[in-house]
Amino acid sequence: MKGATMMQPAGEDGAMGQGGRRPDPAANPAADPVADADDGTRAEAQALIRDARFGTLAFTHPDDGLPFASRIALAPDRGGGLLACLSAIALHSRALTLAPDCALLLGEPGPKGDPLTHARLSLRVHAEWLDPADGSDAPRRAAWRAHHPKSAVYLDLPDFRFLRLTPRFGLLNGGFGRAARLGARDLGA
């Protein structure tokens, strides 16, 4: 059939397209404009994760099962992941407790030019609440305060807890015509 592309199942890295499958680039290289990761895209994606101070969290709304989003503060965590410090009364906290698989959008537009020409990283992540009694909470809080000095206002309130966001898959949009798919290992997780 003219214009048809072969499809391959999603891999362990979570890459998917229509119907849970992505186009097979070998069948039609022009059909898949997203490249596989290389050293440059790995470094760029890892820098976006490491330097992230805020991001847009997309999650499943706990009341109706539909997508919803919220902007959250972030800090780098060991192993290429990210930390968030969230209030238990926030909608996204309840949502992540019920359905810990979610997505993050990282990257801020620069001061000049079209915002869509600046690098951004879309991530599928798994959220895990951290135990405040695990012996790492005090150093975690100190690191968070250093990364977000104004957090002193809320950080020690009893309803705030840390959440680890571990990247599973990512799509880097490095600006016009530059896109790459990255697995967990590519992202440093």
Side-chain angles (χ1 to χ4, degrees):
M1 180 183 337
K2 189 174 182 175
T5 62
M6 293 178 60
M7 302 297 276
Q8 66 184 26
E12 282 188 19
D13 65 359
M16 287 196 289
Q18 283 183 321
R21 301 167 78 77
R22 67 180 174 125
D24 180 357
N28 183 357
D32 188 4
V34 181
D36 289 326
D38 60 26
D39 289 344
T41 56
R42 281 184 203 94
E44 189 170 8
Q46 290 172 12
L48 284 165
I49 292 170
R50 182 185 61 246
D51 298 341
R53 295 182 45 75
F54 298 94
T56 301
L57 174 71
F59 53 91
T60 303
H61 194 291
D63 296 336
D64 59 19
L66 295 173
F68 209 72
S70 182
R71 189 168 172 87
I72 62 170
L74 298 166
D77 188 27
R78 61 181 167 73
L82 291 156
L83 288 176
C85 187
L86 305 178
S87 168
I89 63 174
L91 176 68
H92 47 258
S93 293
R94 186 165 51 106
L96 294 173
T97 299
L98 295 170
D101 291 316
C102 54
L104 271 176
L105 175 62
L106 306 178
E108 296 294 323
K112 291 185 175 187
D114 185 326
L116 297 180
T117 62
H118 298 276
R120 56 213 178 268
L121 180 63
S122 298
L123 295 169
R124 281 192 191 145
V125 298
H126 182 79
E128 172 192 4
W129 291 103
L130 300 178
D131 182 356
D134 71 358
S136 299
D137 201 54
R140 200 178 290 128
R141 286 178 181 276
W144 186 268
R145 269 193 196 92
H147 203 69
H148 292 284
K150 295 189 183 227
S151 69
V153 173
Y154 63 83
L155 189 58
D156 292 323
L157 294 174
D159 61 310
F160 277 83
R161 286 186 54 204
F162 284 98
L163 182 77
R164 176 173 291 128
L165 299 164
T166 304
R168 303 287 195 223
F169 170 76
L171 284 175
L172 173 71
N173 185 322
F176 186 75
R178 279 190 342 111
R181 103 181 29 82
L182 302 109
R185 280 187 226 115
D186 297 318
L187 296 164

